[in-house]
Amino acid sequence: MTTIAYDGKTLAADRGAWNGYVCNEVRKLYPPAPDAASLFGNGWPMGVFAFAGNAGVCMAILHWARTGIDKPTLSDEERDNSYGVLVTPSGVLYRVGGRLLLERIESVPFADGGGHECALGAMLAGADARRAVEIVGERMYMSRFGVDTWAVPG
């Protein structure tokens, strides 16, 4: 399971990835290179990805976004899912949909993944994004192995 939280200033994601009853530590937050262009290779705006869901699909989406080649072919079931979020350096938030389209999200704070309800409640009660993901890890199995963060510049 995954917990992603965004409070308008910071994007946070846990590091736990479940495979059946086993949880492994993985990276779910992928910032662009410091010298990256303003657009990804597939034409999406440059930004930081935080992924949730099927890891293979997430990595295929990341590869396609960065290079503009090998657009993933997803099954009907996979197209009905969300695969996390993209936040631009100016703080604009998008949901990464299974139809490989970006959906702009205007409502902040925002949370995604299995622990999203707990994280959103924590942020609405005053926690920042990092603390919200930590709270999920303290109360639920949805978050494990700590939190990675990325701050909106400026």
Side-chain angles (χ1 to χ4, degrees):
M1 301 293 179
T2 294
T3 304
I4 297 169
Y6 180 62
D7 59 16
K9 298 177 191 169
T10 301
L11 178 63
D14 75 295
R15 296 186 200 121
W18 289 89
N19 184 1
Y21 295 104
V22 178
C23 189
N24 296 297
E25 186 171 357
V26 300
R27 183 173 72 153
K28 298 178 186 176
L29 212 121
Y30 292 87
D35 60 348
S38 62
L39 294 176
F40 281 107
N42 68 351
W44 286 356
M46 187 55 63
V48 176
F49 284 103
F51 283 117
N54 180 307
V57 172
C58 292
M59 293 300 96
I61 292 171
L62 180 64
H63 171 74
W64 171 63
R66 287 182 169 171
T67 65
I69 59 173
D70 300 326
K71 183 176 182 179
T73 301
L74 304 180
S75 70
D76 289 342
E77 182 179 335
E78 290 168 334
R79 282 194 300 271
D80 289 338
N81 292 326
S82 170
Y83 293 100
V85 300
L86 169 69
V87 177
T88 69
S90 63
V92 177
L93 173 67
Y94 297 93
R95 181 191 305 262
V96 179
R99 300 200 183 274
L100 303 179
L101 300 172
L102 296 180
E103 172 189 3
R104 187 167 178 168
I105 305 294
E106 301 286 343
S107 180
V108 174
F110 177 84
D112 200 7
H116 77 277
E117 292 169 329
C118 183
L120 183 58
M123 287 188 290
L124 290 172
D128 64 19
R130 172 189 280 280
R131 182 66 187 129
V133 176
E134 290 171 345
I135 289 169
V136 174
E138 293 168 7
R139 302 288 179 221
M140 306 170 74
Y141 67 91
M142 304 296 182
S143 294
R144 291 286 181 259
F145 298 115
V147 181
D148 290 319
T149 62
W150 176 82
V152 174

